[in-house]
Amino acid sequence: MSLPQAGIFTEGRTHFYYVEYQLHPEAATQDVRQALRSALAVKGEKASETVVAFGNKAWDRLNPTWHPEGFQAFSALAGVDGASVPSTQRDVLFWIQSGRRDVTMQVVLAIHSFMHAVGTLQLDLAGFQYLDSRDLIGFIDGTANPKEDKAREAALIPEGKPGAGGAFVLSQQWVHNLPAFHALSQSEQERVVGRTKPDSIEFEGEAMPPTAHVSRTDYQENGKALKIFRRSAPYGTVKEHGLYFLAFSCELRRFQVLLERMFGASGDGVSDKLIRYSKPVTSSYWFAPSREALIQVCSLDTEE
Ligand code: HEM
């Protein structure tokens, strides 16, 4: 059985760091492997976890022998009312977690000391747990996330398929327009999300608007729920803040289906009201290989 990168399922961490790199086209593949090996060996002063994932071009370069089914770069998506999702597809993502801000900083600086020689830093973002795991819009984020075995089933490519024990990943930096969201009454905000604000109770039946975020993302296809496993966290400063959306899935197309439903591009004429108050400014699809596959791609000897 192929084991996943452990950090995907780590619970209880309060500080996060995300760095995304574009590999230098001229960097030798063996130097990229060496940088990755060094980066993955970094240990912080206190416990931390690092998950690494690759864009499809970088994956094919590091591992020309097999490709997870359906793995592709993120393509920009045009939505309703001028809303859109840009593609900023990059090559390598590191997601660092720890219980301390200083430790995530220590780890990310050490990772960068190896990676900067082979890639350009394109995203440099610190995330944090906000209150009782709320998003900055004030709602608890993660309530309907699958738990334990269900989380693994939603997130991991099953045994027998190329990439088993690995996961497809969607990352998106969303920027919130909090003044616009806060101009709504609490009950209007709740109708945007589809859950109550203080205690995250889902609306039932007629009370659930078809345009609510939960209506658009709690989706079944031919009787099968298209579950994903979310690990997003808030980030930001007074001037700019939002959510670094980060989710794992056994099938890449689940992300695409949910995004199309959110942005009114799924053909049913409905979109998610949440996109009026927050917009994605980055989007990439990644593959987070199993531990075994990761060790293998970092140590393969290729003739260049
Ligand atoms: C600004 C961006 C976003 C915010 C603030 C946000 C916030 C939330 C909140 C508050 C909930 C309800 C509580 C929960 O179950 O976690 C939720 C549920 C959910 N969201 Fe998001 N979300 C965002 C973007 C996205 C995106 C881009 C996707 C998918 C591509 C997504 C997929 C989901 C799913 C699958 C659920 C659970 C639905 C269910 O089964 O009840 N979200 N989100």
Side-chain angles (χ1 to χ4, degrees), residues 9 19 50 77 91-92 110 122 129 133-134 153 166 177 187-188 196-197 206 210 217 221 236 239 249 267 269 278:
F9 301 103
V19 278
T50 298
L77 179 71
D91 289 330
V92 188
Q122 301 275 10
Q129 182 185 312
S133 292
R134 285 172 192 264
E153 199 183 304
N177 181 347
S187 69
E188 286 167 332
T196 58
K197 193 167 186 181
E206 302 264 290
T217 55
E221 201 178 55
K239 278 191 186 152
S249 177
S278 194

Side-chain angles (χ1 to χ4, degrees), residues 135 140-144 172 213 217-218 227 230 245 262 278:
D135 181 56
I140 296 174
D141 197 350
T143 315
Q172 294 186 300
H213 180 56
T217 55
D218 181 8
K227 288 286 179 193
R230 290 167 291 136
F245 180 85
M262 287 178 69
S278 194

Side-chain angles (χ1 to χ4, degrees), residues 242-254:
L243 185 75
Y244 188 77
F245 180 85
L246 183 66
F248 296 81
S249 177
C250 55
E251 288 179 317
L252 188 105
R253 62 177 292 277
R254 294 189 184 189

Side-chain angles (χ1 to χ4, degrees), residues 4 10 29 44 52 69 88 122 136 171 182-183 193 201 271 286:
T10 304
T29 305
V52 65
E69 270 172 32
T88 54
Q122 301 275 10
L136 294 174
S171 73
H182 289 153
V193 173
I201 296 174
S271 62
W286 314 91

